[in-house]
Amino acid sequence: MRTPDGGFRLAGNTHNFSSGFEAYAVKIAGAGNVQWSRTYDGGVGEGIYTVVMAADGGFLLAGDTGLD
């Protein structure tokens, strides 16, 4: 998703062998540098499937999570 500051907001999932799949979100500035990134781990397998911009300039993430 393109952001108003010329950057990008990306989301999906990542995998590591110790904890499995985790949801992952990252904000890239217009110059290409990472402004912030975060993983979300709430169970056995998380993923983010869509990102929308909120009226206040924040982001809403939608996805799913597995249960332990």
Side-chain angles (χ1 to χ4, degrees):
M1 156 188 277
R2 189 94 187 191
T3 58
D5 64 359
F8 290 92
R9 177 71 168 81
L10 308 170
N13 62 19
T14 185
H15 182 267
N16 69 56
F17 291 104
S18 63
S19 64
F21 286 97
E22 297 176 338
Y24 178 68
V26 61
K27 170 66 171 73
I28 308 293
N33 56 308
V34 174
Q35 288 185 306
W36 57 264
S37 67
R38 179 169 177 184
T39 58
Y40 301 88
D41 184 17
V44 175
E46 292 74 36
I48 298 171
Y49 301 115
T50 190
V51 179
V52 295
M53 186 161 296
D56 66 359
F59 299 95
L60 300 171
L61 308 174
D64 66 4
T65 185
L67 301 174
D68 288 340

